[in-house]
Amino acid sequence: MAQGNTVTRERIAAMEPRIRPYVRHTPVLRVDMADFDRPPLALDLKLECLQHSGSFKARGAFTNLLERPVPKAGVVAASGGNHGAAVAYAAMRLGHKATIFVPEVSPQAKLDRIRSYGADLVVGGARYAEALAASERFAQETGALQIHAFNQEETLVGQGTLGLEIENDLPQIDTLLVAVGGGGLIGGIAAWYAGRIRIIAIEPEGAPTLYRAFEAGHPVDAPAEGIAADSLAPKRVGEMMFPIAEAFVERSILVSDDDIIAAQKALWNRVRIISEPGGAAAFAAILSGRYTPAPGERVAVLVCGANANPANF
């Protein structure tokens, strides 16, 4: 396959029943954009924000812990928050020690969730890249198993199970909008669909990692700023996901912080869905008009994370 690794439909399909006892089959909500003061449009929202640990990341975390031998030192992960929470949750469920490194931009809601799962939490560094470097040093010193948030085959395979689930839930869709940070989610989903539907990447203007990679023809450093910096702002997309994206992701669309805030507020005020900035980014593309479906186009939007306090928006 185009991706040049083992992130295949066959491997994703084989993994899904292995993680099924540990992850939720999350619901789909059909909405009409008229409810959001927009022209009428039927839209399906896949509510992965209701997954264990508050985001899709639980899928990749359990895949790593079930597929790879875990040493006595346990596991270590660097995260803006969601991946750390998922690894901490999976380690708790499977009886392993977890150490999580997060940058200073991680919101309190995510720190509290990580601690609630019994993990050792280390906060330091301005951005994800610094937390990652610290986690790598910890792994070298202790022998702990490092679980990368996106540039790891098992992570991509685990996130790909969400693509399988979406296809089972919504076999009729033409287009799926997916938020992108490091690219593990869209990489896994795109590997599952393998070009059978249109997949559109949505990124914040302050962290255009895949957008810049598409321009350059390979992963490059991008800014890591904006309201979604805790979840959608690594320095660059993963090397493993990029060939998958080149083959199967149609394009990347950028949304502003104001677009994302408006999407968060709309999801909460109109349908009582709590979504963090990264989780609302894909819906922001529809609400803002930055992505306008063609007549008759059947569109689904992935709402992928809920580790936020609605009082803040």
PDB file of all heavy atoms in Angstrom, residues 93-125:
ATOM      1  N   ARG A  93      -6.190   0.397  33.561  1.00  0.00           N
ATOM      2  CA  ARG A  93      -7.069  -0.740  33.268  1.00  0.00           C
ATOM      3  C   ARG A  93      -6.290  -2.052  33.147  1.00  0.00           C
ATOM      4  O   ARG A  93      -6.792  -3.117  33.531  1.00  0.00           O
ATOM      5  CB  ARG A  93      -7.837  -0.491  31.972  1.00  0.00           C
ATOM      6  CG  ARG A  93      -8.958   0.515  32.050  1.00  0.00           C
ATOM      7  CD  ARG A  93     -10.189  -0.019  32.774  1.00  0.00           C
ATOM      8  NE  ARG A  93     -10.697  -1.271  32.221  1.00  0.00           N
ATOM      9  CZ  ARG A  93     -11.574  -1.362  31.230  1.00  0.00           C
ATOM     10  NH1 ARG A  93     -12.043  -0.247  30.661  1.00  0.00           N
ATOM     11  NH2 ARG A  93     -12.007  -2.536  30.803  1.00  0.00           N
ATOM     12  N   LEU A  94      -5.075  -1.977  32.605  1.00  0.00           N
ATOM     13  CA  LEU A  94      -4.299  -3.185  32.334  1.00  0.00           C
ATOM     14  C   LEU A  94      -3.243  -3.473  33.397  1.00  0.00           C
ATOM     15  O   LEU A  94      -2.482  -4.432  33.281  1.00  0.00           O
ATOM     16  CB  LEU A  94      -3.647  -3.077  30.951  1.00  0.00           C
ATOM     17  CG  LEU A  94      -4.630  -2.987  29.778  1.00  0.00           C
ATOM     18  CD1 LEU A  94      -3.898  -2.755  28.472  1.00  0.00           C
ATOM     19  CD2 LEU A  94      -5.490  -4.246  29.681  1.00  0.00           C
ATOM     20  N   GLY A  95      -3.180  -2.625  34.440  1.00  0.00           N
ATOM     21  CA  GLY A  95      -2.316  -2.916  35.571  1.00  0.00           C
ATOM     22  C   GLY A  95      -0.859  -2.544  35.397  1.00  0.00           C
ATOM     23  O   GLY A  95       0.025  -3.213  35.960  1.00  0.00           O
ATOM     24  N   HIS A  96      -0.579  -1.461  34.655  1.00  0.00           N
ATOM     25  CA  HIS A  96       0.793  -1.022  34.440  1.00  0.00           C
ATOM     26  C   HIS A  96       1.019   0.358  35.065  1.00  0.00           C
ATOM     27  O   HIS A  96       0.090   1.155  35.204  1.00  0.00           O
ATOM     28  CB  HIS A  96       1.113  -0.944  32.942  1.00  0.00           C
ATOM     29  CG  HIS A  96       0.962  -2.242  32.226  1.00  0.00           C
ATOM     30  ND1 HIS A  96       1.731  -3.343  32.506  1.00  0.00           N
ATOM     31  CD2 HIS A  96       0.118  -2.609  31.219  1.00  0.00           C
ATOM     32  CE1 HIS A  96       1.375  -4.351  31.715  1.00  0.00           C
ATOM     33  NE2 HIS A  96       0.397  -3.929  30.930  1.00  0.00           N
ATOM     34  N   LYS A  97       2.264   0.643  35.387  1.00  0.00           N
ATOM     35  CA  LYS A  97       2.668   1.965  35.869  1.00  0.00           C
ATOM     36  C   LYS A  97       2.778   2.907  34.665  1.00  0.00           C
ATOM     37  O   LYS A  97       3.241   2.511  33.595  1.00  0.00           O
ATOM     38  CB  LYS A  97       4.014   1.860  36.579  1.00  0.00           C
ATOM     39  CG  LYS A  97       4.609   3.185  37.042  1.00  0.00           C
ATOM     40  CD  LYS A  97       5.951   2.946  37.721  1.00  0.00           C
ATOM     41  CE  LYS A  97       6.674   4.252  38.022  1.00  0.00           C
ATOM     42  NZ  LYS A  97       5.895   5.142  38.897  1.00  0.00           N
ATOM     43  N   ALA A  98       2.372   4.154  34.836  1.00  0.00           N
ATOM     44  CA  ALA A  98       2.459   5.142  33.755  1.00  0.00           C
ATOM     45  C   ALA A  98       3.064   6.435  34.267  1.00  0.00           C
ATOM     46  O   ALA A  98       2.734   6.901  35.364  1.00  0.00           O
ATOM     47  CB  ALA A  98       1.078   5.419  33.161  1.00  0.00           C
ATOM     48  N   THR A  99       3.959   7.004  33.455  1.00  0.00           N
ATOM     49  CA  THR A  99       4.526   8.322  33.723  1.00  0.00           C
ATOM     50  C   THR A  99       4.233   9.201  32.521  1.00  0.00           C
ATOM     51  O   THR A  99       4.554   8.822  31.390  1.00  0.00           O
ATOM     52  CB  THR A  99       6.045   8.235  33.964  1.00  0.00           C
ATOM     53  OG1 THR A  99       6.302   7.305  35.017  1.00  0.00           O
ATOM     54  CG2 THR A  99       6.612   9.600  34.331  1.00  0.00           C
ATOM     55  N   ILE A 100       3.636  10.351  32.752  1.00  0.00           N
ATOM     56  CA  ILE A 100       3.176  11.218  31.669  1.00  0.00           C
ATOM     57  C   ILE A 100       3.852  12.583  31.777  1.00  0.00           C
ATOM     58  O   ILE A 100       3.821  13.219  32.836  1.00  0.00           O
ATOM     59  CB  ILE A 100       1.642  11.406  31.718  1.00  0.00           C
ATOM     60  CG1 ILE A 100       0.925  10.052  31.803  1.00  0.00           C
ATOM     61  CG2 ILE A 100       1.190  12.215  30.516  1.00  0.00           C
ATOM     62  CD1 ILE A 100       1.153   9.115  30.636  1.00  0.00           C
ATOM     63  N   PHE A 101       4.438  13.024  30.661  1.00  0.00           N
ATOM     64  CA  PHE A 101       5.067  14.343  30.575  1.00  0.00           C
ATOM     65  C   PHE A 101       4.175  15.249  29.735  1.00  0.00           C
ATOM     66  O   PHE A 101       3.783  14.892  28.605  1.00  0.00           O
ATOM     67  CB  PHE A 101       6.452  14.239  29.926  1.00  0.00           C
ATOM     68  CG  PHE A 101       7.483  13.583  30.802  1.00  0.00           C
ATOM     69  CD1 PHE A 101       7.516  12.200  30.935  1.00  0.00           C
ATOM     70  CD2 PHE A 101       8.421  14.340  31.492  1.00  0.00           C
ATOM     71  CE1 PHE A 101       8.466  11.576  31.741  1.00  0.00           C
ATOM     72  CE2 PHE A 101       9.377  13.730  32.306  1.00  0.00           C
ATOM     73  CZ  PHE A 101       9.396  12.350  32.427  1.00  0.00           C
ATOM     74  N   VAL A 102       3.851  16.426  30.266  1.00  0.00           N
ATOM     75  CA  VAL A 102       3.013  17.380  29.538  1.00  0.00           C
ATOM     76  C   VAL A 102       3.643  18.766  29.593  1.00  0.00           C
ATOM     77  O   VAL A 102       4.350  19.098  30.548  1.00  0.00           O
ATOM     78  CB  VAL A 102       1.574  17.448  30.112  1.00  0.00           C
ATOM     79  CG1 VAL A 102       0.881  16.100  30.008  1.00  0.00           C
ATOM     80  CG2 VAL A 102       1.586  17.930  31.548  1.00  0.00           C
ATOM     81  N   PRO A 103       3.404  19.593  28.570  1.00  0.00           N
ATOM     82  CA  PRO A 103       3.928  20.962  28.602  1.00  0.00           C
ATOM     83  C   PRO A 103       3.062  21.874  29.458  1.00  0.00           C
ATOM     84  O   PRO A 103       1.951  21.512  29.873  1.00  0.00           O
ATOM     85  CB  PRO A 103       3.864  21.386  27.132  1.00  0.00           C
ATOM     86  CG  PRO A 103       2.721  20.596  26.576  1.00  0.00           C
ATOM     87  CD  PRO A 103       2.735  19.282  27.302  1.00  0.00           C
ATOM     88  N   GLU A 104       3.573  23.060  29.690  1.00  0.00           N
ATOM     89  CA  GLU A 104       2.879  24.012  30.561  1.00  0.00           C
ATOM     90  C   GLU A 104       1.575  24.525  29.967  1.00  0.00           C
ATOM     91  O   GLU A 104       0.739  25.067  30.700  1.00  0.00           O
ATOM     92  CB  GLU A 104       3.820  25.185  30.867  1.00  0.00           C
ATOM     93  CG  GLU A 104       5.033  24.768  31.715  1.00  0.00           C
ATOM     94  CD  GLU A 104       6.184  25.750  31.626  1.00  0.00           C
ATOM     95  OE1 GLU A 104       6.028  26.775  30.921  1.00  0.00           O
ATOM     96  OE2 GLU A 104       7.227  25.486  32.248  1.00  0.00           O
ATOM     97  N   VAL A 105       1.372  24.370  28.647  1.00  0.00           N
ATOM     98  CA  VAL A 105       0.126  24.852  28.031  1.00  0.00           C
ATOM     99  C   VAL A 105      -1.042  23.910  28.274  1.00  0.00           C
ATOM    100  O   VAL A 105      -2.187  24.250  27.964  1.00  0.00           O
ATOM    101  CB  VAL A 105       0.289  25.066  26.505  1.00  0.00           C
ATOM    102  CG1 VAL A 105       1.301  26.150  26.217  1.00  0.00           C
ATOM    103  CG2 VAL A 105       0.655  23.761  25.800  1.00  0.00           C
ATOM    104  N   SER A 106      -0.794  22.725  28.813  1.00  0.00           N
ATOM    105  CA  SER A 106      -1.883  21.768  29.020  1.00  0.00           C
ATOM    106  C   SER A 106      -2.890  22.326  30.023  1.00  0.00           C
ATOM    107  O   SER A 106      -2.510  22.774  31.105  1.00  0.00           O
ATOM    108  CB  SER A 106      -1.331  20.443  29.529  1.00  0.00           C
ATOM    109  OG  SER A 106      -0.503  19.842  28.563  1.00  0.00           O
ATOM    110  N   PRO A 107      -4.174  22.280  29.691  1.00  0.00           N
ATOM    111  CA  PRO A 107      -5.186  22.852  30.589  1.00  0.00           C
ATOM    112  C   PRO A 107      -5.403  21.994  31.829  1.00  0.00           C
ATOM    113  O   PRO A 107      -5.133  20.788  31.830  1.00  0.00           O
ATOM    114  CB  PRO A 107      -6.441  22.902  29.716  1.00  0.00           C
ATOM    115  CG  PRO A 107      -6.227  21.866  28.685  1.00  0.00           C
ATOM    116  CD  PRO A 107      -4.753  21.811  28.427  1.00  0.00           C
ATOM    117  N   GLN A 108      -5.920  22.625  32.856  1.00  0.00           N
ATOM    118  CA  GLN A 108      -6.112  21.949  34.133  1.00  0.00           C
ATOM    119  C   GLN A 108      -7.023  20.743  34.014  1.00  0.00           C
ATOM    120  O   GLN A 108      -6.814  19.719  34.694  1.00  0.00           O
ATOM    121  CB  GLN A 108      -6.678  22.938  35.162  1.00  0.00           C
ATOM    122  CG  GLN A 108      -6.633  22.425  36.600  1.00  0.00           C
ATOM    123  CD  GLN A 108      -5.208  22.181  37.086  1.00  0.00           C
ATOM    124  OE1 GLN A 108      -4.324  23.005  36.860  1.00  0.00           O
ATOM    125  NE2 GLN A 108      -4.983  21.047  37.735  1.00  0.00           N
ATOM    126  N   ALA A 109      -8.032  20.828  33.158  1.00  0.00           N
ATOM    127  CA  ALA A 109      -8.960  19.698  33.009  1.00  0.00           C
ATOM    128  C   ALA A 109      -8.228  18.433  32.586  1.00  0.00           C
ATOM    129  O   ALA A 109      -8.563  17.328  33.031  1.00  0.00           O
ATOM    130  CB  ALA A 109     -10.047  20.047  31.994  1.00  0.00           C
ATOM    131  N   LYS A 110      -7.216  18.587  31.734  1.00  0.00           N
ATOM    132  CA  LYS A 110      -6.475  17.416  31.271  1.00  0.00           C
ATOM    133  C   LYS A 110      -5.508  16.920  32.340  1.00  0.00           C
ATOM    134  O   LYS A 110      -5.329  15.703  32.515  1.00  0.00           O
ATOM    135  CB  LYS A 110      -5.744  17.749  29.970  1.00  0.00           C
ATOM    136  CG  LYS A 110      -6.701  18.078  28.835  1.00  0.00           C
ATOM    137  CD  LYS A 110      -5.999  18.291  27.504  1.00  0.00           C
ATOM    138  CE  LYS A 110      -7.021  18.613  26.417  1.00  0.00           C
ATOM    139  NZ  LYS A 110      -6.411  18.752  25.087  1.00  0.00           N
ATOM    140  N   LEU A 111      -4.887  17.842  33.066  1.00  0.00           N
ATOM    141  CA  LEU A 111      -3.990  17.431  34.141  1.00  0.00           C
ATOM    142  C   LEU A 111      -4.766  16.661  35.219  1.00  0.00           C
ATOM    143  O   LEU A 111      -4.296  15.628  35.721  1.00  0.00           O
ATOM    144  CB  LEU A 111      -3.308  18.651  34.764  1.00  0.00           C
ATOM    145  CG  LEU A 111      -2.533  19.577  33.823  1.00  0.00           C
ATOM    146  CD1 LEU A 111      -1.820  20.665  34.622  1.00  0.00           C
ATOM    147  CD2 LEU A 111      -1.530  18.799  32.982  1.00  0.00           C
ATOM    148  N   ASP A 112      -5.938  17.163  35.569  1.00  0.00           N
ATOM    149  CA  ASP A 112      -6.750  16.499  36.583  1.00  0.00           C
ATOM    150  C   ASP A 112      -7.146  15.097  36.136  1.00  0.00           C
ATOM    151  O   ASP A 112      -7.159  14.148  36.945  1.00  0.00           O
ATOM    152  CB  ASP A 112      -8.002  17.322  36.882  1.00  0.00           C
ATOM    153  CG  ASP A 112      -7.695  18.644  37.574  1.00  0.00           C
ATOM    154  OD1 ASP A 112      -6.576  18.801  38.108  1.00  0.00           O
ATOM    155  OD2 ASP A 112      -8.572  19.528  37.563  1.00  0.00           O
ATOM    156  N   ARG A 113      -7.473  14.955  34.863  1.00  0.00           N
ATOM    157  CA  ARG A 113      -7.883  13.640  34.354  1.00  0.00           C
ATOM    158  C   ARG A 113      -6.718  12.655  34.409  1.00  0.00           C
ATOM    159  O   ARG A 113      -6.879  11.506  34.811  1.00  0.00           O
ATOM    160  CB  ARG A 113      -8.430  13.768  32.935  1.00  0.00           C
ATOM    161  CG  ARG A 113      -9.063  12.490  32.421  1.00  0.00           C
ATOM    162  CD  ARG A 113      -9.704  12.682  31.068  1.00  0.00           C
ATOM    163  NE  ARG A 113     -10.999  13.347  31.165  1.00  0.00           N
ATOM    164  CZ  ARG A 113     -12.155  12.695  31.261  1.00  0.00           C
ATOM    165  NH1 ARG A 113     -12.173  11.385  31.327  1.00  0.00           N
ATOM    166  NH2 ARG A 113     -13.287  13.352  31.303  1.00  0.00           N
ATOM    167  N   ILE A 114      -5.525  13.098  34.010  1.00  0.00           N
ATOM    168  CA  ILE A 114      -4.356  12.220  34.053  1.00  0.00           C
ATOM    169  C   ILE A 114      -4.092  11.758  35.482  1.00  0.00           C
ATOM    170  O   ILE A 114      -3.876  10.570  35.749  1.00  0.00           O
ATOM    171  CB  ILE A 114      -3.120  12.944  33.474  1.00  0.00           C
ATOM    172  CG1 ILE A 114      -3.297  13.165  31.960  1.00  0.00           C
ATOM    173  CG2 ILE A 114      -1.845  12.142  33.737  1.00  0.00           C
ATOM    174  CD1 ILE A 114      -2.270  14.108  31.367  1.00  0.00           C
ATOM    175  N   ARG A 115      -4.116  12.689  36.418  1.00  0.00           N
ATOM    176  CA  ARG A 115      -3.877  12.334  37.818  1.00  0.00           C
ATOM    177  C   ARG A 115      -4.955  11.373  38.343  1.00  0.00           C
ATOM    178  O   ARG A 115      -4.670  10.487  39.154  1.00  0.00           O
ATOM    179  CB  ARG A 115      -3.854  13.598  38.678  1.00  0.00           C
ATOM    180  CG  ARG A 115      -2.622  14.487  38.467  1.00  0.00           C
ATOM    181  CD  ARG A 115      -2.520  15.536  39.560  1.00  0.00           C
ATOM    182  NE  ARG A 115      -1.351  16.391  39.372  1.00  0.00           N
ATOM    183  CZ  ARG A 115      -1.394  17.609  38.838  1.00  0.00           C
ATOM    184  NH1 ARG A 115      -2.564  18.116  38.424  1.00  0.00           N
ATOM    185  NH2 ARG A 115      -0.292  18.320  38.708  1.00  0.00           N
ATOM    186  N   SER A 116      -6.168  11.533  37.875  1.00  0.00           N
ATOM    187  CA  SER A 116      -7.260  10.691  38.377  1.00  0.00           C
ATOM    188  C   SER A 116      -7.067   9.225  38.028  1.00  0.00           C
ATOM    189  O   SER A 116      -7.649   8.345  38.674  1.00  0.00           O
ATOM    190  CB  SER A 116      -8.609  11.179  37.823  1.00  0.00           C
ATOM    191  OG  SER A 116      -8.791  10.790  36.466  1.00  0.00           O
ATOM    192  N   TYR A 117      -6.250   8.948  37.013  1.00  0.00           N
ATOM    193  CA  TYR A 117      -5.987   7.572  36.615  1.00  0.00           C
ATOM    194  C   TYR A 117      -4.749   6.991  37.304  1.00  0.00           C
ATOM    195  O   TYR A 117      -4.330   5.885  36.975  1.00  0.00           O
ATOM    196  CB  TYR A 117      -5.828   7.487  35.099  1.00  0.00           C
ATOM    197  CG  TYR A 117      -7.062   7.900  34.323  1.00  0.00           C
ATOM    198  CD1 TYR A 117      -6.955   8.678  33.174  1.00  0.00           C
ATOM    199  CD2 TYR A 117      -8.340   7.517  34.731  1.00  0.00           C
ATOM    200  CE1 TYR A 117      -8.074   9.059  32.454  1.00  0.00           C
ATOM    201  CE2 TYR A 117      -9.464   7.900  34.020  1.00  0.00           C
ATOM    202  CZ  TYR A 117      -9.326   8.670  32.885  1.00  0.00           C
ATOM    203  OH  TYR A 117     -10.439   9.039  32.180  1.00  0.00           O
ATOM    204  N   GLY A 118      -4.161   7.740  38.229  1.00  0.00           N
ATOM    205  CA  GLY A 118      -3.072   7.218  39.025  1.00  0.00           C
ATOM    206  C   GLY A 118      -1.695   7.306  38.409  1.00  0.00           C
ATOM    207  O   GLY A 118      -0.741   6.718  38.927  1.00  0.00           O
ATOM    208  N   ALA A 119      -1.545   8.044  37.319  1.00  0.00           N
ATOM    209  CA  ALA A 119      -0.241   8.176  36.671  1.00  0.00           C
ATOM    210  C   ALA A 119       0.636   9.189  37.405  1.00  0.00           C
ATOM    211  O   ALA A 119       0.135  10.102  38.066  1.00  0.00           O
ATOM    212  CB  ALA A 119      -0.418   8.613  35.213  1.00  0.00           C
ATOM    213  N   ASP A 120       1.938   9.036  37.262  1.00  0.00           N
ATOM    214  CA  ASP A 120       2.878  10.064  37.696  1.00  0.00           C
ATOM    215  C   ASP A 120       2.903  11.150  36.615  1.00  0.00           C
ATOM    216  O   ASP A 120       3.161  10.853  35.444  1.00  0.00           O
ATOM    217  CB  ASP A 120       4.281   9.478  37.880  1.00  0.00           C
ATOM    218  CG  ASP A 120       4.355   8.520  39.058  1.00  0.00           C
ATOM    219  OD1 ASP A 120       3.532   8.654  39.982  1.00  0.00           O
ATOM    220  OD2 ASP A 120       5.224   7.631  39.039  1.00  0.00           O
ATOM    221  N   LEU A 121       2.660  12.380  37.007  1.00  0.00           N
ATOM    222  CA  LEU A 121       2.543  13.477  36.047  1.00  0.00           C
ATOM    223  C   LEU A 121       3.698  14.445  36.226  1.00  0.00           C
ATOM    224  O   LEU A 121       3.972  14.903  37.343  1.00  0.00           O
ATOM    225  CB  LEU A 121       1.213  14.201  36.244  1.00  0.00           C
ATOM    226  CG  LEU A 121       0.920  15.378  35.307  1.00  0.00           C
ATOM    227  CD1 LEU A 121       0.798  14.908  33.861  1.00  0.00           C
ATOM    228  CD2 LEU A 121      -0.351  16.099  35.739  1.00  0.00           C
ATOM    229  N   VAL A 122       4.365  14.764  35.109  1.00  0.00           N
ATOM    230  CA  VAL A 122       5.468  15.725  35.118  1.00  0.00           C
ATOM    231  C   VAL A 122       5.109  16.863  34.166  1.00  0.00           C
ATOM    232  O   VAL A 122       4.907  16.634  32.969  1.00  0.00           O
ATOM    233  CB  VAL A 122       6.788  15.070  34.670  1.00  0.00           C
ATOM    234  CG1 VAL A 122       7.924  16.090  34.732  1.00  0.00           C
ATOM    235  CG2 VAL A 122       7.102  13.854  35.528  1.00  0.00           C
ATOM    236  N   VAL A 123       4.999  18.076  34.682  1.00  0.00           N
ATOM    237  CA  VAL A 123       4.653  19.247  33.880  1.00  0.00           C
ATOM    238  C   VAL A 123       5.905  20.085  33.676  1.00  0.00           C
ATOM    239  O   VAL A 123       6.566  20.476  34.653  1.00  0.00           O
ATOM    240  CB  VAL A 123       3.566  20.101  34.564  1.00  0.00           C
ATOM    241  CG1 VAL A 123       3.193  21.295  33.678  1.00  0.00           C
ATOM    242  CG2 VAL A 123       2.333  19.253  34.874  1.00  0.00           C
ATOM    243  N   GLY A 124       6.241  20.373  32.418  1.00  0.00           N
ATOM    244  CA  GLY A 124       7.427  21.191  32.162  1.00  0.00           C
ATOM    245  C   GLY A 124       7.642  21.435  30.686  1.00  0.00           C
ATOM    246  O   GLY A 124       7.273  20.610  29.837  1.00  0.00           O
ATOM    247  N   GLY A 125       8.224  22.594  30.367  1.00  0.00           N
ATOM    248  CA  GLY A 125       8.461  22.959  28.975  1.00  0.00           C
ATOM    249  C   GLY A 125       7.299  23.747  28.411  1.00  0.00           C
ATOM    250  O   GLY A 125       6.140  23.577  28.823  1.00  0.00           O
TER     251      GLY A 125
END
